[in-house]
Amino acid sequence: KQEVTQIPAALSVPEGENLVLNCSFTDSAIYNLQWFRQDPGKGLTSLLLIQSSQREQTSGRLNASLDKSSGRSTLYIAASQPGDSATYLCAVKGTYKYIFGTGTRLKVLA
Amino acid sequence: EAGVAQSPRYKIIEKRQSVAFWCNPISGHATLYWYQQILGQGPKLLIQFQNNGVVDDSQLPKDRFSAERLKGVDSTLKIQPAKLEDSAVYLCASSLEVPQGETQYFGPGTRLLVL
């Protein structure tokens, strides 16, 4: 049974810092991994999707990496801004469905 | 492009009552998902539709929850009767029918409180 863990559960950083969020999963037989952002009281917004054959994806200040063999993915945020404050969730897709982690709650202080 | 629509946005009911949620996915998206997100947790898949058919409903409490997708477009999720532990946000998402890699687009969710 696939389990997805995100560490840390919460993180506060000053504005301008580069930061890394971690996601680990127990079953390496995945099709893809997706990173989402969730703002309070709102739905999820997809940030990056990495196919199982890829090692990383980039969008603006965000870079996500995938290492299937070790069951790990990282989301790198460069030059963080207060507007980046949100909960970040990773989700791993198996045969049919996505399994979500519990998220990392990020606060960027101005 | 219009996003995933959900209604109502909020609902408060008493335990043992019934409630229904509605979702309209992005036009052309064959796959539709219903998730339950309890406070402080990640979303948990309740049911996944591919067009009209059910792909996965292994985590749907079938004694009280039911879902249908009419003509492969809109979907409704029903709870009858509701329990206190059903208090959560119910998220609907949709995606294109791509075998391995598809981006899910989420609606704003319906926040349910069972008293």
Side-chain angles (χ1 to χ4, degrees):
Chain A
K1 178 185 172 186
Q2 179 75 272
E3 293 184 4
V4 181
T5 304
Q6 290 187 250
I7 295 174
L11 181 63
S12 287
V13 299
E15 181 178 6
E17 269 203 11
N18 301 325
L19 59 101
V20 174
L21 306 181
N22 297 295
C23 173
S24 61
F25 47 96
T26 55
D27 186 349
S28 61
I30 65 170
Y31 283 119
N32 64 54
L33 183 146
Q34 201 163 359
W35 281 94
F36 293 88
R37 168 186 174 138
Q38 186 171 31
D39 293 284
K42 297 190 177 179
L44 281 67
T45 301
S46 178
L47 298 173
L48 290 164
L49 184 148
I50 310 177
Q51 305 289 358
S52 61
S53 58
Q54 297 174 322
R55 291 195 64 85
E56 66 178 321
Q57 281 284 346
T58 298
S59 176
R61 295 183 293 109
L62 305 179
N63 175 276
S65 68
L66 174 64
D67 183 344
K68 277 178 50 178
S69 60
S70 67
R72 287 183 170 183
S73 175
T74 61
L75 179 66
Y76 175 84
I77 302 176
S80 58
Q81 303 170 359
D84 295 330
S85 297
T87 296
Y88 291 80
L89 295 143
C90 69
V92 172
K93 185 174 185 192
T95 305
Y96 292 116
K97 64 187 176 190
Y98 280 94
I99 304 295
F100 281 80
T102 53
T104 294
R105 194 168 59 253
L106 172 66
K107 187 166 187 178
V108 181
L109 306 170
Chain B
E1 177 182 84
V4 177
Q6 289 188 249
S7 68
R9 293 295 312 276
Y10 304 93
K11 191 74 177 178
I12 301 174
I13 62 173
E14 296 189 349
K15 60 183 179 183
R16 292 187 289 273
Q17 287 187 323
S18 61
V19 64
F21 313 129
W22 174 83
C23 173
N24 181 239
I26 293 173
S27 178
H29 280 194
T31 307
L32 185 147
Y33 314 79
W34 281 103
Y35 290 91
Q36 179 193 59
Q37 186 176 24
I38 293 172
L39 189 64
Q41 299 182 18
K44 180 183 83 171
L45 180 71
L46 292 176
I47 189 166
Q48 178 181 338
F49 291 97
Q50 184 82 358
N51 296 308
N52 288 336
V54 175
V55 174
D56 189 313
D57 64 356
S58 57
Q59 298 187 103
L60 185 74
K62 297 180 184 66
D63 58 335
R64 298 184 300 107
F65 286 64
S66 64
E68 62 178 2
R69 189 174 185 194
L70 304 173
K71 299 179 182 177
V73 182
D74 292 7
S75 178
T76 56
L77 176 69
K78 297 179 182 177
I79 308 175
Q80 182 179 10
K83 292 185 176 182
L84 297 177
E85 58 261 36
D86 298 331
S87 295
V89 176
Y90 291 84
L91 296 163
C92 179
S94 70
S95 66
L96 290 168
E97 185 179 355
V98 177
Q100 291 189 4
E102 70 276 7
T103 297
Q104 292 186 78
Y105 296 87
F106 281 78
T110 296
R111 191 172 299 269
L112 174 67
L113 179 61
V114 182
L115 302 176

